[in-house]
Amino acid sequence: MHYVISGLNSSEFTHLYGQDSDYLARHNARRVTAGIHSALPDRIGLKDVPSGENAILLNHTYQPAQSPYHGQHAIYIHEGCTHSGVFNDEIPEYLAKRQLSLRAFNLEHYIIAAELATGHEVEQAVLALLQRPETAYIHAHSARYGCYLARVSRTL
């Protein structure tokens, strides 16, 4: 079973890069500087924002489907990041080091199964969810904060 984990497309967020706090506030966003122990997860590059660099905290619609599971939540993006992280058949450290809530969705965008996983368990859980024929895709969320982290899709 092959899969890809991909970050968000930066084009949705580039208008925020370098803007002042008033502009950010008009877009329900704010700039945050990553600290040594802050581990701000960048949803574009699928890496933590390096200490001392800026992230933008904003609200994002991670599940745009018209279903009861339509959802949005706060996310961080690494300010200036324009390269989406793409991981083929590999769990990025960004995900493996967090406790995850993995939510499998069907084609109608309904959750059909969910698992909690951390570390080496993440890939096993992803593969088990993808083995289900009705799984169309998986969303990875932080189990602690509930924030959307990444999408996992089956590949050929």
Side-chain angles (χ1 to χ4, degrees):
M1 179 74 47
H2 297 285
Y3 62 92
V4 63
I5 300 174
S6 50
L8 298 174
N9 187 325
S10 65
S11 65
E12 183 178 345
F13 310 105
T14 55
H15 71 98
L16 300 170
Y17 296 172
Q19 297 294 334
D20 63 29
S21 57
D22 290 336
Y23 181 90
L24 294 176
R26 287 193 302 274
H27 291 87
N28 296 319
R30 65 182 282 195
R31 182 171 289 107
V32 179
T33 302
I36 294 172
H37 304 290
S38 59
L40 304 178
D42 171 35
R43 279 28 173 238
I44 297 171
L46 301 184
K47 298 177 182 178
D48 287 338
V49 177
S51 178
E53 295 191 22
N54 289 331
I56 297 175
L57 175 64
L58 68 142
N59 194 272
H60 173 70
T61 300
Y62 63 86
Q63 178 54 286
Q66 294 303 309
S67 87
Y69 293 100
H70 174 90
Q72 59 189 49
H73 201 283
I75 64 168
Y76 289 101
I77 56 169
H78 187 178
E79 187 167 14
C81 182
T82 58
H83 179 74
S84 294
V86 177
F87 295 83
N88 291 294
D89 300 329
E90 175 187 3
I91 304 296
E93 178 187 355
Y94 159 91
L95 293 178
K97 73 181 192 176
R98 292 176 164 85
Q99 184 176 32
L100 302 180
S101 168
L102 299 169
R103 304 165 187 180
F105 289 83
N106 65 13
L107 290 172
E108 289 77 36
H109 310 289
Y110 282 76
I111 294 177
I112 55 167
E115 295 291 336
L116 293 174
T118 306
H120 70 279
E121 300 168 344
V122 174
E123 186 166 48
Q124 295 168 356
V126 163
L127 292 172
L129 291 169
L130 290 175
Q131 289 291 336
R132 298 172 67 107
E134 65 270 32
T135 298
Y137 58 93
I138 299 167
H139 280 177
H141 288 253
S142 165
R144 183 171 284 173
Y145 292 99
C147 305
Y148 170 84
L149 293 170
R151 179 182 171 117
V152 183
S153 301
R154 188 182 289 119
T155 60
L156 302 175

